Amino acid sequence: MKPFPWQHALWRQIIDLADRNRFPHALMLSGAGGLGKEQFAKALTARMLCRTPGEFACGECRSCRMLTAGHHPNLLTIEPAEKGRLIRVDSVREANDFVAQTAQQGGYRVIYLQPAEGMTIAAANALLKSLEEPGSNTLFILLADIPSRALPTIRSRCQRWTFAIPDEAECLPWLREKLGNDEDARFWWRVAGGQPLLAVELGQGESRQLRQTLREVFEALVRGAEPVAEAARIDRQALSSVLWYGIAWLEDLIRLGLSGETAQIRNSDLLPLYRQAVKNGRVRDWFRLLDYAREQRRLLAAGSNPNAQLVLESWLVRWAALLRS
Ligand SMILES: [Zn+2]
């Protein structure tokens, strides 16, 4: 496994540290979810465990083969039991036991933990103990989409590596391969706010269709359609994505409304609709709606269980009111 093409500079820096034995015992890799930091972390794990590494793990030694087969005695992976749940203290206690043992056949031990901001308080406190007394040849790799939500005492014990939004040129060849052509690659990269993995996810299959539907709803609302009737066209399971697009489009609107410039617009195909909305709306109201959308998304992510259909309708009613105010 290798890092993605846009991660090569960061990879060189981190490998350089490892090769000079300057590696800390804990890293926190942070950055938006669609930048591919999991793959980077896995490539790094493989290289740390590899017995004959070059720039990357060799892929052929006994250690690499064990890793490929899905079990390595010197690797412990800690993740929530289910997506969206918190990491519990018993998982972290496993890490403490693991750290207390000696690495098999010498070499490094790696504890891979994600998401670092998704632990119970008890789990985070248990982890602190290991981070303070990690033993030799032990590397903790923690991943966080939003590091500010991780416990400060955990953050401060890790060396932080931040994944920034890559330049278009760094990810364009990869995106072209995934999405088929240059035009789609550029378009979805911008829609995804520069996150390549997210661009591929949004630009394919049902996600691609969802954006098309939302665009049609946007057009209909600008023409004066009834929002509750429009809500019926949208799958309520997609609420989180609907709000994600709502936020992105509002941010576009605010950029356009404040500066009048189009260079920073992420959804250029919506420009005619934005212009119409800018003519009718007021920036203050867009900020208010933006807060509403962010709050609803936060509630959804926190697993509080709002009535999705109701939130969807309420969102479109507000969005429509803003387009016509
Ligand atoms: Zn190897």
Side-chain angles (χ1 to χ4, degrees), residues 8-20 22-24 27 29 40 44 47-48 159 161 163:
H8 277 171
L10 201 61
W11 179 261
R12 280 302 335 149
Q13 287 179 43
I14 221 164
I15 293 310
D16 189 47
L17 277 187
D19 289 349
R20 288 189 292 130
R22 291 283 185 77
F23 233 25
L27 304 173
L29 309 181
F40 186 98
L44 182 61
R47 192 187 184 274
M48 295 308 286
Q159 190 179 82
W161 291 80
F163 288 65

Side-chain angles (χ1 to χ4, degrees), residues 50-52 57-61 64:
C50 176
R51 309 317 290 265
T52 55
C58 75
E60 283 160 16
C61 70
C64 283

Side-chain angles (χ1 to χ4, degrees), residues 238-265:
L239 178 60
S240 178
S241 303
V242 173
L243 292 170
W244 185 86
Y245 273 120
I247 292 166
W249 294 358
L250 275 167
E251 287 172 347
D252 268 354
L253 262 177
I254 288 168
R255 277 185 210 110
L256 187 67
L258 289 179
S259 73
E261 286 183 22
T262 57
Q264 297 301 318
I265 299 295

Side-chain angles (χ1 to χ4, degrees), residues 60-97:
E60 283 160 16
C61 70
R62 183 154 178 274
S63 180
C64 283
R65 279 186 280 124
M66 279 195 286
L67 199 59
T68 311
H71 176 75
H72 197 296
N74 291 343
L75 170 65
L76 183 70
T77 301
I78 304 177
E79 286 171 320
E82 279 174 63
K83 202 172 181 289
R85 293 287 181 85
L86 295 173
I87 294 171
R88 303 183 63 86
V89 67
D90 36 339
S91 308
V92 175
R93 290 215 180 97
E94 229 182 296
N96 293 359
D97 293 343

